Structures are given as C-alpha cells and as structure tokens.
Amino acid sequence: LTAFTEEKLGQAEKTELDAHLENLLSKAECTKLWTEKIMKQTEVLLQPNPNARIEEFVYEKLDRKAPSRLNNPELLGQYMIDAGNEFGPGTAYGNALIKCGETQKRIGTADRELIQTSAINFLTPLRNFIEGDYKTITKERKLLQNKRLDLDAAKTRLKKAKVAEARAASEQEVRITQSEFDRQAEITRLLLEGISSTHAHHLRCLNDFVEAQMTYYAQCYQYMLDLQKQLGSFPSTFLSNNNQSSSAPVQNVSAPSVLASASASLPSVSNSIVTSGFSELKSLSGSRKARVLYDYDAANSSELSLLADEVITVYSVPGMDSDWLMGERGNQKGKVPITYLELLN
C-alpha cells in the first residue's frame, strides 16, 4: 500500500508493462465487456419476462424437463381454443379460433426449443468465459499488480540505500522481486493469449445461435403458412378489410428451402405478387365453382345459406361489396361471403 501511495504521489518509479501485454489486457477487458452485454441482451430477447428469465436461465438445471408453466404463445393458444369451443367448433369463428390456437401452441413449443438450444449452445459458453476464464485472468492480473508494486518498492529502497551493506541487500531484493514480477507477467501473458481461442470458440457458438434462430423462424413461417391454408387463405379479402394496398406473401416457400441456406431470405411482401383467385373473379365476367368451408346462416332474404363442403357456383355482380359474391345452388341464389369459400379450378 505504501509503495502504491508513493507511486501515486510521484515519489516512486513505476515499472511499465510491455506494450504487447498492455494490448492483451485491453483486448481481454473489451472481450469481457461485450460478451457480458451480448449475453444479457440475448437473455432479454429470448425471455422478456425478468422473473421467468431468472427461473429459465439457471443453467445447471437445463435438463429439458417438462415446462412448469405455459409461455405467452401457448397461453394465447389455450385462450383461443377455449373460446372457439365455447362459441362452437361448428361456427366459422369458433373453428378458426381453434385452428389459430393450435398454431399458437406449436409456436410456443418452438419458442421453448429456441430458448433451450440457445442457452446450451450460446449463452452457457459465454457465461463460462465471464465466470471462469475471465475471473482467472483478473486474479492473475491482480497478482501481477502486487508483484509490480513489490518491485517498485524494492527499486525505491535501493535508490535510498547509502551504506554498502544496505545496497547489497536492496540489490538482492530487487533481483528477487524482478524475477517474481517477470514470472507473473509470463503467466498473465499466457492466459491473455488464450483470448484469441476464446473468440474462435465464441464464433462457433454464434453460428449455433444463428442456426437455432433460423430453424425457429422457418418453423414459425411454415406453421403460419399451414394455418393460412387451413383458414381458406383469402388475402384479397383481408386486405380490402384493412384498406391496405400490398398483397399477401407468396405461399410456395417451404421451411426446408429456408433452412437450406442461411442466406435464403423469407418472402417479402410486395405489390407485384399476384392476388388470390377472388380478385380475378371480380375483374372477369363468368362464373366459377367454389367449395363451402363452413356453415353459414343467411342474415336476410338477399343472402344464401351455406353448408360446409357443398359446391356452389359463384360469380361477381358489378357494384357488389368486395367481401361478397353472388352464389347459386340449383334454382336458389343469393349473396355469399368470400371468407366462407374456396375457389375450385
């Protein structure tokens, strides 16, 4: 402590570390700082709920046991399924809610898999560096600091020694402390040079994390694609309801094709994409066959009641609301809602 105080007051010389060692120390500090930031923000990304995060990121307990509680998509899915059953699975809305709920639950499962894989392959190695390697570096660095202070104190005593006997003793002390300082500097240097291999290891872990995310997003995309098909997938109707001008995504991209390459981009929404057959039917004269997806009870005499799975003839009438077509079954005819139909080729 005395040597450190004297050094701060400018009364003692300070042994400088060589430039290479200083650079290694700087690289280690920088690595620790950013590793910690990336690790903490990844945890927030994977689990935004801080209480659940503390529970889920106890790494020693990552043994893939059954989850103790539902995550957000699973909870939403359960609510949708319960609501659908209460409204009636035979109704259009109830049926759609149940299908949406099942898909949300599948997304919830994919969420769990992403958290589990990312924790094991990405977060744990980063945490091991912070709590293991870097702590060792810090300990050895403190030892080096102490050895340097011992050396500086010995050098100061040598300068002050007047008597030959005292000088001889001080010179011997300087030799010993210099030797101990050099040895500790070498130990610290070897540890710090391991930071390069840490970067290489973390690069592999980062690739694993990217792969886990890619798998997750491809799964979710495929689930939503399947759901859209189950619901009848009438993009033009949804867009007219929302007063949007862009069209729905192309549906010919499968999860395997997304997984095939990290650079494969998911389909973008663009105005150039062809809209559904209903838009074409609106712009052309003539009629088409359509399969009824759900039962529909006519609200008034201008509408036609429908039974699920029956096939009817539909055609467009000028000036009719964009959500409706004219439907015919034998000698019966009336307005029918587009969302209850699937056009047949």
Side-chain angles (χ1 to χ4, degrees):
L1 185 62
T2 306
F4 183 73
T5 307
E6 287 181 351
E7 188 181 282
K8 285 290 179 189
L9 294 171
Q11 295 167 355
E13 65 177 279
K14 178 183 175 183
T15 303
E16 299 293 339
L17 299 177
D18 69 76
H20 178 57
L21 193 54
E22 287 283 11
N23 285 337
L24 288 174
L25 283 166
S26 176
K27 185 178 179 181
E29 282 176 9
C30 185
T31 301
K32 186 257 183 183
L33 173 75
W34 286 109
T35 300
E36 207 161 41
K37 282 190 173 184
I38 290 167
M39 182 183 74
K40 285 180 178 174
Q41 193 54 37
T42 304
E43 289 176 358
V44 172
L45 172 76
L46 294 172
Q47 177 49 271
N49 181 330
N51 295 329
R53 190 159 66 242
I54 291 165
E55 185 182 296
E56 287 177 18
F57 289 105
V58 178
Y59 297 99
E60 294 75 18
K61 295 177 184 176
L62 281 175
D63 50 7
R64 294 181 181 269
K65 282 188 178 176
S68 57
R69 64 173 173 217
L70 297 177
N71 60 25
N72 289 332
E74 288 169 335
L75 196 56
L76 175 60
Q78 194 56 56
Y79 288 164
M80 285 180 162
I81 290 168
D82 292 346
N85 284 323
E86 192 150 333
F87 297 156
T91 67
Y93 185 39
N95 185 283
L97 276 170
I98 290 168
K99 286 174 179 172
C100 287
E102 286 165 353
T103 299
Q104 291 297 331
K105 282 192 156 188
R106 291 171 80 190
I107 288 172
T109 302
D111 261 7
R112 288 186 188 283
E113 288 168 1
L114 174 64
I115 289 172
Q116 204 93 59
T117 307
S118 301
I120 293 166
N121 295 342
F122 185 55
L123 290 170
T124 299
L126 265 57
R127 186 176 292 281
N128 286 345
F129 166 71
I130 301 289
E131 295 179 354
D133 293 358
Y134 193 77
K135 275 191 175 173
T136 306
I137 287 170
T138 304
K139 189 182 85 173
E140 296 300 333
R141 186 181 176 177
K142 279 181 182 171
L143 267 175
L144 179 62
Q145 169 80 343
N146 292 337
K147 297 293 182 190
R148 186 180 67 75
L149 289 172
D150 290 346
L151 175 58
D152 292 348
K155 286 178 179 177
T156 303
R157 279 193 287 275
L158 177 59
K159 272 187 180 179
K160 290 178 180 177
K162 305 295 181 189
V163 186
E165 198 175 302
R167 279 193 70 78
S170 293
E171 283 169 357
Q172 175 66 6
E173 187 189 8
V174 167
R175 279 194 294 274
I176 292 167
T177 52
Q178 181 72 57
S179 170
E180 288 179 351
F181 170 77
D182 291 343
R183 182 175 168 275
Q184 187 57 37
E186 183 63 14
I187 291 169
T188 309
R189 183 184 64 77
L190 289 170
L191 275 171
L192 290 168
E193 284 176 347
I195 292 289
S196 293
S197 60
T198 297
H199 282 207
H201 177 48
H202 289 182
L203 173 59
R204 290 192 295 275
C205 298
L206 180 63
N207 282 325
D208 289 341
F209 178 53
V210 169
E211 192 174 329
Q213 280 190 304
M214 194 173 63
T215 302
Y216 168 73
Y217 288 119
Q219 279 179 319
C220 291
Y221 176 72
Q222 190 60 51
Y223 293 156
M224 297 315 294
L225 208 56
D226 295 344
L227 174 63
Q228 200 182 40
K229 285 173 184 171
Q230 285 179 53
L231 292 178
S233 177
F234 307 134
S236 61
T237 308
F238 300 147
L239 294 173
S240 65
N241 286 345
N242 295 329
N243 297 318
Q244 294 172 352
S245 59
S246 59
S247 299
V250 174
Q251 292 190 9
N252 61 357
V253 179
S254 64
S257 72
V258 178
L259 286 168
S261 162
S263 62
S265 58
L266 288 172
S268 59
V269 177
S270 109
N271 289 331
S272 63
I273 300 170
V274 179
T275 55
S276 74
F278 288 109
S279 299
E280 295 167 25
L281 187 60
K282 289 279 184 185
S283 61
L284 300 171
S285 57
S287 61
R288 289 274 295 275
K289 292 291 185 185
R291 185 173 69 85
V292 176
L293 296 168
Y294 320 106
D295 290 351
Y296 177 72
D297 294 325
N300 53 52
S301 58
S302 71
E303 296 177 9
L304 181 68
S305 291
L306 303 172
L307 290 171
D309 292 324
E310 71 171 323
V311 175
I312 63 170
T313 302
V314 292
Y315 55 92
S316 179
V317 174
M320 187 179 282
D321 188 296
S322 62
D323 291 343
W324 299 80
L325 287 171
M326 189 59 75
E328 280 190 6
R329 184 203 302 110
N331 60 356
Q332 295 177 304
K333 70 177 181 179
K335 290 195 303 179
V336 290
I338 281 177
T339 48
Y340 282 64
L341 306 172
E342 177 185 27
L343 279 183
L344 302 175
N345 293 327

